[in-house]
Amino acid sequence: MSDPAYLAAKARKLDESDGLRAKRAEFVLDDDTVYLDGNSLGALPATVPGRVADVVAREWGRLRIRSWTESGWWTAPERVGDRIAPLVGAAPGQVVAGDSTSVNVFKALVGAVRMAGAERDEIVVDATTFPTDGYIAESAARMTGRRLVAADPRDLPAALGPRTAAALVNHVDYRSGRLHDLPGVTAAAHAAGALVVWDLCHSAGALPVGLDEHDVDLAVGCTYKYLNGGPGSPAYLYVRRDLQPRFDSPLPGWNSHHDPFGMSPRYEATDGARRGRVGTPDILSMLALEAALEVWDGVSIEAVRDKSLALTDFFLECVAAYVPAGRVEPITPAAHAERGSQVALRCAGAGEVMASLIARGVVGDFRHPDVLRFGFTPLYVSFADAHRAARVLAEVVSAP
Ligand SMILES: *Cc1c(COP(=O)(O)O)cnc(C)c1O
């Protein structure tokens, strides 16, 4: 059915029965914009500005140095890590927040290679990876004297063998929105005696990850996409509890020393998730993130996933109904088991099409060379938004 009245009514009905509908009011959004770029930069949670103002004026301005203890600054990386943990299916004590995803990819991958043993001389990297992971994997391979092997995540089990030290894989492909098989690939890596590092940038906060359940070794992710932590907010590192004593960080800074204020010239690693820390944490960003994570209180990630799939299904239905045949081609898999929380459409002139969409209040993004990306963040995107985005897209690509 391509009848606008039917689809508009369907959007209304879906919005009325949406259990997460009330969450939208916890974000700073404007009603004339459809924001479908939360997979690049999540919207601002309304609690953040007040919290940041208090951190600056009171904790820094008045308490100054006392805040490292009295305001809990020193322990913030572990505390924020434990707040992220349930969203990625991790028990407490295994996630630490800090640094960028790129830096955490380096720590995790070199750490994994060091745990794998000297006879394993290959690192396998996701051939479709977000570029930074690939650059760092190449450098990590060079530094550790391993050979780098690229493999499509769908063919990964076949690429893993007795020579594999570790594999670095993106959970969701940033370009196509394809969801990779985390349980299957992790099990295949373990069957080959290798470790696996998952990059959760495009899955954490959008779908259940189940790190503990699936026995993942190490994982990293950012917090400024689906976790709404703000521009450049700290990333995180997960090291499974039983691996922590063997995790030999390639960046052993004083913050991961067992006695940081002993100022010893000799490094002795601390225990637990803290072992992933490096230097002084970025407190303003860290505490903005901590406030941003409050929007997840009482939210089940399964409910988020259900709404995400319903939103992307509905958007695809509206696109098929409104956009003239042949103008766009979905590259996001139709199968739910292979779909993240975005819809990517291949489109001629995608760069100009996206600029026109943004000018008309529909904000997605463009990925080289011909991909329109629309991110669906279930906490604040409505079915009416999905409907409007598809209608505006149809207008833009039909314009002479
Ligand atoms: C967004 C993203 C990154 C970003 O890394 P930064 O160090 O935060 O710039 C890395 N990897 C993947 C898969 C991403 O989607």
Side-chain angles (χ1 to χ4, degrees):
M1 276 253 234
S2 69
D3 171 11
Y6 162 77
L7 288 171
K10 183 168 176 178
R12 262 194 310 277
K13 224 186 270 153
L14 287 164
D15 277 326
E16 278 160 19
S17 59
D18 168 17
L20 293 172
R21 189 174 38 157
K23 279 281 153 189
R24 186 182 174 98
E26 296 182 30
F27 289 86
V28 176
L29 293 162
D30 44 301
D31 283 334
D32 44 1
T33 304
V34 174
Y35 190 63
L36 301 180
D37 213 4
N39 53 339
S40 253
L41 179 65
L44 171 65
T47 53
V48 172
R51 175 68 182 127
V52 170
D54 180 58
V55 171
V56 171
R58 186 178 56 84
E59 296 186 2
W60 178 14
R62 295 215 297 275
L63 296 177
R64 291 178 286 269
I65 197 74
R66 290 166 53 187
S67 274
W68 282 106
T69 47
E70 289 175 32
S71 303
W73 288 359
W74 185 261
T75 49
E78 295 86 74
R79 189 172 70 245
V80 174
D82 278 342
R83 193 126 198 185
I84 295 167
L87 298 172
V88 291
Q94 301 173 102
V95 178
V96 69
D99 307 313
S100 63
T101 304
S102 302
V103 171
N104 283 299
V105 165
F106 178 76
K107 292 184 234 172
L109 189 56
V110 174
V113 169
R114 287 177 173 179
M115 284 190 257
E119 71 292 350
R120 292 180 172 263
D121 64 353
E122 285 180 0
I123 294 175
V124 176
V125 66
D126 178 342
T128 59
T129 185
F130 186 91
T132 202
D133 302 53
Y135 306 154
I136 287 168
E138 197 277 331
S139 175
R142 218 153 17 99
M143 279 184 46
T144 58
R146 265 50 176 202
R147 198 168 77 90
L148 190 65
V149 180
D152 189 291
R154 283 171 283 176
D155 310 326
L156 213 63
L160 303 166
R163 295 180 63 175
T164 313
L168 171 64
V169 198
N170 292 186
H171 194 192
V172 172
D173 184 305
Y174 76 100
R175 195 185 275 117
S176 67
R178 176 180 290 278
L179 171 65
H180 296 132
D181 176 12
L182 180 143
V185 169
T186 303
H190 292 171
L195 289 94
V196 62
V197 179
W198 285 96
D199 185 327
L200 310 177
C201 280
H202 281 274
S203 60
L207 51 96
V209 176
L211 292 179
D212 286 350
E213 179 189 350
H214 302 301
D215 211 23
V216 165
D217 302 299
L218 300 103
V220 302
C222 69
T223 61
Y224 51 76
K225 293 172 183 166
Y226 293 97
L227 298 179
N228 316 303
S233 56
Y236 56 91
L237 170 69
Y238 164 92
V239 181
R240 199 181 64 226
R241 190 183 308 281
D242 62 294
L243 295 178
Q244 287 171 349
R246 292 169 54 212
F247 175 64
D248 178 10
S249 173
L251 292 173
W254 73 296
N255 275 229
S256 62
H257 195 283
H258 92 103
D259 180 18
F261 293 94
M263 301 290 169
S264 165
R266 205 171 65 83
Y267 182 74
E268 273 177 79
T270 187
D271 54 6
R274 292 179 296 181
R275 203 177 263 218
R277 287 178 63 165
V278 185
T280 305
D282 190 343
I283 292 299
L284 298 183
S285 288
M286 183 80 70
L287 299 185
L289 166 62
E290 186 172 34
L293 290 168
E294 286 171 18
V295 301
W296 295 95
D297 288 350
V299 172
S300 106
I301 198 73
E302 285 74 21
V304 167
R305 174 61 167 166
D306 289 346
K307 181 174 173 188
S308 156
L309 289 171
L311 278 168
T312 50
D313 275 345
F314 182 62
F315 179 67
L316 285 164
E317 180 184 359
C318 293
V319 167
Y322 295 142
V323 177
R327 292 294 283 118
V328 299
E329 179 208 343
I331 57 170
T332 301
H336 285 177
E338 296 174 10
R339 191 191 302 164
S341 198
Q342 71 180 46
V343 171
L345 304 174
R346 190 165 279 148
C347 176
E352 296 83 68
V353 168
M354 185 50 72
S356 301
L357 284 171
I358 292 170
R360 293 173 196 224
V362 174
V363 180
D365 62 22
F366 159 67
R367 284 293 175 268
H368 202 73
D370 59 355
V371 174
L372 301 171
R373 272 195 338 172
F374 301 94
F376 289 85
T377 46
L379 295 189
Y380 56 82
V381 170
S382 67
F383 292 89
D385 288 337
H387 182 252
R388 184 173 148 208
R391 292 211 74 175
V392 174
L393 174 64
E395 280 167 30
V396 166
V397 299
S398 306

